[in-house]
Amino acid sequence: MIGSGALRSRTASNRSSAKVNKPGWSTLRALDRGRRDQHVCEVRERGMTVHDDATADGFPERLPGRFSGSAFRRLYAFAADPEAFVPGGEFAAAVRAELRPANPGAEQPVDSLVGEATAWSSETAKRFQRMGEQTDRDTRRLLVRRAALGCAPLGLASGAWLQWLTSPGTADEPLVLGILGLYGSDVGVGHPGAARGDAYLGLLRQLRASENAAPLARLAGEPRIDDSAFRLPALLLVMSRRPDDFGPELVGADLCLRAVGLPPPLALVRPEVPADWAAIDCSVARDDGPAPFERCRAAADALARPGPEPAARVQAGFAWALATLSDQIEVLYDQLRASLDPNYGMAELMRLRAREGSVYHHQVLLEDRPLAAWLKDCRDDPWPFLDVLARSRLVRPGQSGASPLVNGLVSERGPMFRIFSPDDLTVISRWIDALPARPGPRKAAAAGERASARDTNGPSAAVLPDIRATAVPSEPGPSDLREAYHLLMSRTSSPALRDWSLRYIRGWLARARHRMGPESVPLPPRWTAEGLRPWLQQQHDRHGVEFAQSERAPLPSRDAVVDDAVQTAPLTLIDGSWLQGFTDYKLASSDIGHSLFATYFDELGNGLATLNHPLIYREVLAEMGVVLPPTASRAFADWPGFRDASFELPVYWLCVGRFPRTFLPEILGLNLAMELSGVGGAYRRAGMALRGHGFSTRFVDIHNTIDNVATGHSAWAADAVDTLMSGLPEEPGPGSRPEVWERVRVGYRSLNPPGGLLARSAARRARLTGGRRRPELVMPTTGEYGNV
């Protein structure tokens, strides 16, 4: 028996009978009304007043801090942007209100919640299986498509809520590294198109239901998916953009979804469609490590260890996710059950298509009323129109083959040619064939029975404009580089920090562009179709020659080696931070981004503390007698042993890494310069200096191997540039190959820009004038997930 905690308000037990009956028209009409009434009751149980101006969600128009169904679509699309800025303050409080349990003080232990989730998942999956088993083949095919689409908002983003839980300031913490390892498994680290969401996209493609599935934000416009399906994934994505505020809740929600495993409606789909079900099911391991549930449970236990407050937040995230998922699945179950009656599909089709149809047909009369007027009413209640249509000359009840509506009117010479898709025509024909031979007039439905499920003007229609309005900074940014470095340790941002970061980037790039000519960087002046691999080999040869020439040169003194190690610590301890934006779900398995995420994953040790580069570097510093404060602490940024100039380049890395789409070409150029800089020469020379003074060379040795030009980071960096450039037009202009290549070259030079007075003056001017102006975005034209 399912427990009574997180699912206390559910009515699953009322729907557990084995027999699946086709509901009548009054039942179909009552589905939405019943959900609304239940929601109003839940609101009242929470001590809230339901005003006369309550919407279909049960919330008043003027109630601040709540969300309507349609708002979750907009939030889903908004939060799918890798550069989305989600504000704190009132908006974060509104999100937290969504997580608040209906019965405060009734928290359950995690073990109890896990048992409840697994039992609910198993029992609910059986209900969907029985529904499919008791239908004919054609009806089952319809159910399969509806079920797959109903789970798409969650399935296409499976695991995305972990995307920002790793930050530059926490990249050496074992707890965070464990979460990164789990996330790397979810996105198929190192492989394009290998994320769990990509597997779900493949499922939709097999069902020919993927028209609006990619990029991820496009799914919010899919009319065949109910608003309720966006609630859980939208809030998870929003919370993922503020990990400092919602980290424990995100881990709790993730643990819930791992316990549930394959969403129960997909039990109906799995026997019918061959797909990568091991990838779609987030509870199934994709590597040789522990099962995803065990990994997430370890993270949840570690988060809960400090005390009752974080433990309660993990539990709250789990309970909220389970209750919200259960609500969503029950809505979908109702819809699938209702769709067994052809009337339901026809009613939904009319509701979806009525708006455009009402623009026409003013001269066509049905029962002395213009067809346009009937269609206009369909947007709220299609049932009266279906009664009229069934009695009209357009329909011959029980005989779709003889009905003008699906024959002459939609033929090549008919006035409605191509108005309906083949699937639409199947729905209409099925409805006609199910009509009784002589339908008569029926009693008009009561007003309460005509409640619509879709509230497109809910109470949070202004939520997104408010989000964007808060992006305008109202307070000053960081006062100096040290403060900026400390603030940039976290993924969570503020409008002022975001604006300051953009200004700093533009200033730094203006400095890199200063007096830049064909010979300013070793990159060729033009990119050619042969790509950068031949050039990469030439540079590697050059590094080898330079090392041979300097091999006999005197080594730097011990004090010089220690000073260099200390002054580069603010840089090295955030290794890979220029690529932090490519942990984003849309980018981590994309054609370009998969290798960049894999590089970042390597820099942080593939989720293992023993291979973590910042931790290895701290071991070297400890050998030198230098023990630094934690990187994310203000004490680190204020440490007196650092010179101010030691923060200039690290702050640029931290800033530009936040904008992986806006500055994509520059990041690719910077990444290539960084990964190639030490291979074959500088790392070997540094190793000699360290070894000569008795220090470990492990840090430089590991970089000289993993950055190699054949299979390592340098090769990946060159390939990422080639992938971007090969998809661009050759003709000059914004977004063209010449224009983007010049930006790549500027990014390459930005690793070591000129430092003279005139170059710094150019940077200062750019910071003062260009803070919010964005360069032309580069969006490759191929790929699955907006493959930047």
Side-chain angles (χ1 to χ4, degrees):
M1 180 178 176
I2 298 176
S4 59
L7 302 179
R8 183 176 288 116
S9 64
R10 295 309 316 143
T11 56
S13 60
N14 295 330
R15 300 183 175 93
S16 60
S17 62
K19 186 176 180 181
V20 178
N21 297 315
K22 292 186 177 181
W25 281 30
S26 60
T27 302
L28 302 178
R29 286 169 164 165
L31 286 174
D32 297 335
R33 183 194 63 201
R35 281 187 223 112
R36 178 184 184 278
D37 291 345
Q38 178 186 351
H39 200 55
V40 169
C41 290
E42 290 173 355
V43 172
R44 284 175 173 147
E45 287 174 1
R46 295 184 183 186
M48 300 170 63
T49 301
V50 181
H51 300 276
D52 291 338
D53 58 348
T55 65
D57 276 330
F59 294 111
E61 284 283 339
R62 295 185 295 275
L63 182 66
R66 301 299 298 190
F67 302 92
S68 71
S70 59
F72 291 114
R73 290 179 179 267
R74 298 192 293 276
L75 286 173
Y76 186 87
F78 177 82
D81 181 355
E83 297 178 7
F85 169 69
V86 174
E90 292 183 7
F91 184 81
V95 174
R96 192 166 296 284
E98 290 287 331
L99 305 178
R100 192 173 300 129
N103 300 287
E107 292 84 1
Q108 294 175 259
V110 169
D111 287 338
S112 175
L113 288 168
V114 169
E116 186 172 340
T118 54
W120 170 81
S121 179
S122 175
E123 290 302 315
T124 307
K126 292 176 183 177
R127 291 166 55 210
F128 281 94
Q129 286 176 326
R130 287 194 293 266
M131 182 187 294
E133 291 167 355
Q134 295 170 17
T135 58
D136 59 73
R137 183 187 179 103
D138 290 339
T139 303
R140 188 161 55 251
R141 187 166 59 246
L142 172 66
L143 293 177
V144 163
R145 283 169 59 90
R146 285 181 176 270
L149 281 168
C151 295
L154 191 64
L156 289 171
S158 181
W161 36 91
L162 303 181
Q163 59 195 349
W164 279 14
L165 288 181
T166 305
S167 69
T170 61
D172 57 358
E173 296 180 5
L175 167 62
V176 174
L177 294 178
I179 295 173
L180 177 65
L182 175 60
Y183 180 66
S185 174
D186 286 336
V187 299
V189 58
H191 302 282
R196 294 189 188 274
D198 290 299
Y200 203 94
L201 181 61
L203 169 65
L204 293 179
R205 284 180 169 163
Q206 289 197 64
L207 294 170
R208 300 184 183 276
S210 63
E211 302 93 317
N212 299 314
L216 191 59
R218 182 71 185 90
L219 191 70
E222 173 56 75
R224 294 172 293 181
I225 301 176
D226 191 79
D227 291 337
S228 63
F230 290 92
R231 186 187 196 97
L232 176 60
L235 287 172
L236 287 171
L237 291 175
V238 165
M239 289 190 291
S240 78
R241 303 301 184 190
R242 296 197 66 85
D244 290 355
D245 292 333
F246 299 105
E249 290 84 356
L250 286 168
V251 172
D254 187 71
L255 184 63
C256 169
L257 295 172
R258 309 282 179 181
V260 168
L262 193 71
L266 298 184
L268 190 157
V269 181
R270 187 168 188 167
E272 304 294 325
V273 185
D276 187 356
W277 290 104
I280 293 172
D281 185 345
C282 68
S283 68
V284 176
R286 308 182 70 196
D287 52 32
D288 295 332
F293 175 83
E294 298 302 326
R295 286 181 169 186
C296 189
R297 180 61 190 265
D301 290 345
L303 277 170
R305 207 165 288 134
E309 192 271 339
R313 292 176 62 186
V314 171
Q315 293 165 6
F318 193 118
W320 164 77
L322 181 56
T324 306
L325 180 63
S326 174
D327 286 341
Q328 171 189 329
I329 298 309
E330 289 305 320
V331 170
L332 181 57
Y333 183 87
D334 286 345
Q335 291 171 340
L336 294 183
R337 181 170 174 270
S339 70
L340 296 175
D341 191 314
N343 298 308
Y344 178 85
M346 186 63 173
E348 284 295 291
L349 178 61
M350 292 298 101
R351 182 180 288 164
L352 291 173
R353 302 298 304 276
R355 182 171 183 171
E356 63 257 32
S358 64
V359 175
Y360 308 96
H361 309 304
H362 292 280
Q363 306 303 318
V364 179
L365 299 180
L366 284 182
E367 297 192 359
D368 299 324
R369 190 179 184 216
L371 177 56
W374 286 111
L375 291 174
K376 184 177 180 180
D377 290 348
C378 279
R379 295 176 62 184
D380 294 320
D381 183 6
W383 301 102
F385 172 66
L386 293 187
D387 288 343
V388 172
L389 184 62
R391 297 192 296 268
S392 74
R393 292 179 298 172
L394 300 175
V395 170
R396 294 190 179 180
Q399 303 178 58
S400 61
S403 298
L405 181 58
V406 289
N407 289 287
L409 288 177
V410 297
S411 66
E412 292 182 3
R413 296 182 178 274
M416 297 179 67
F417 176 58
R418 295 289 292 275
I419 294 296
F420 295 112
S421 70
D423 285 346
D424 293 340
L425 293 175
T426 299
V427 169
I428 299 171
S429 297
R430 189 166 171 256
W431 171 70
I432 294 174
D433 289 336
L435 289 172
R438 295 184 180 181
R442 298 184 301 108
K443 181 179 179 180
E449 291 182 327
R450 297 180 181 176
S452 171
R454 301 184 184 274
D455 170 31
T456 58
N457 298 296
S460 63
V463 167
L464 277 184
D466 288 344
I467 291 178
R468 298 185 186 278
T470 57
V472 178
S474 58
E475 69 276 358
S479 59
D480 56 31
L481 287 175
R482 290 176 183 259
E483 182 183 4
Y485 184 90
H486 171 63
L487 293 175
L488 290 165
M489 286 294 102
S490 168
R491 296 272 193 149
T492 303
S493 187
S494 68
L497 182 60
R498 181 182 176 88
D499 185 71
W500 190 95
S501 299
L502 284 168
R503 291 180 182 276
Y504 192 84
I505 295 168
R506 298 194 197 289
W508 192 274
L509 294 177
R511 181 177 158 191
R513 282 192 299 270
H514 181 68
R515 293 186 175 178
M516 182 171 169
E519 305 301 323
S520 298
V521 293
L523 282 171
R526 294 180 64 254
W527 183 86
T528 61
E530 69 177 353
L532 291 176
R533 283 296 188 112
W535 171 86
L536 197 64
Q537 292 290 348
Q538 295 170 6
Q539 297 304 305
H540 188 248
D541 293 344
R542 180 173 65 82
H543 289 181
V545 171
E546 292 172 349
F547 172 73
Q549 293 172 347
S550 65
E551 192 172 8
R552 296 178 180 272
L555 294 176
S557 67
R558 187 183 191 281
D559 288 345
V561 170
V562 172
D563 182 71
D564 181 70
V566 168
Q567 297 309 318
T568 56
L571 192 79
T572 310
L573 292 177
I574 57 165
D575 203 3
S577 59
W578 66 92
L579 298 177
Q580 62 178 309
F582 290 89
T583 64
D584 191 274
Y585 199 74
K586 283 183 62 176
L587 309 181
S589 66
S590 65
D591 290 343
I592 293 174
H594 75 277
S595 61
L596 305 179
F597 175 70
T599 300
Y600 183 82
F601 195 69
D602 274 354
E603 305 291 3
L604 271 57
N606 312 124
L608 301 174
T610 54
L611 296 176
N612 181 265
H613 294 185
L615 290 177
I616 293 172
Y617 196 76
R618 281 185 176 270
E619 292 173 359
V620 177
L621 290 173
E623 292 178 2
M624 298 175 177
V626 179
V627 179
L628 296 172
T631 313
S633 68
R634 184 59 195 257
F636 181 92
D638 290 340
W639 195 66
F642 295 137
R643 292 187 282 275
D644 289 345
S646 297
F647 291 94
E648 288 187 350
L649 183 59
V651 167
Y652 168 61
W653 282 7
L654 291 166
C655 289
V656 79
R658 291 173 173 246
F659 301 95
R661 295 176 65 195
T662 301
F663 299 103
L664 174 63
E666 290 83 0
I667 291 174
L668 293 184
L670 169 65
N671 184 55
L672 179 59
M674 188 60 214
E675 297 302 338
L676 181 60
S677 60
V679 177
Y683 287 143
R684 296 162 74 188
R685 179 70 181 171
M688 290 175 58
L690 290 167
R691 191 178 302 109
H693 295 292
F695 300 128
S696 169
T697 63
R698 187 183 178 203
F699 184 84
V700 293
D701 290 344
I702 197 172
H703 276 83
N704 198 48
T705 56
I706 66 173
D707 291 351
N708 76 81
V709 298
T711 61
H713 295 178
S714 295
W716 298 352
D719 291 347
V721 174
D722 289 341
T723 302
L724 171 66
M725 297 303 300
S726 62
L728 301 175
E730 183 63 45
E731 294 301 315
S736 68
R737 193 171 289 167
E739 190 264 348
V740 173
W741 179 243
E742 188 62 18
R743 290 178 60 186
V744 172
R745 284 167 47 84
V746 169
Y748 192 100
R749 199 186 193 203
S750 72
L751 179 63
N752 187 24
L757 179 62
L758 293 179
R760 290 183 178 275
S761 295
R764 191 176 302 110
R765 288 193 300 273
R767 287 198 302 270
L768 292 173
T769 60
R772 300 194 62 77
R773 180 175 54 82
R774 295 167 70 103
E776 185 74 22
L777 298 185
V778 176
M779 298 297 294
T781 57
T782 61
E784 312 261 310
Y785 264 58
N787 284 326
V788 177

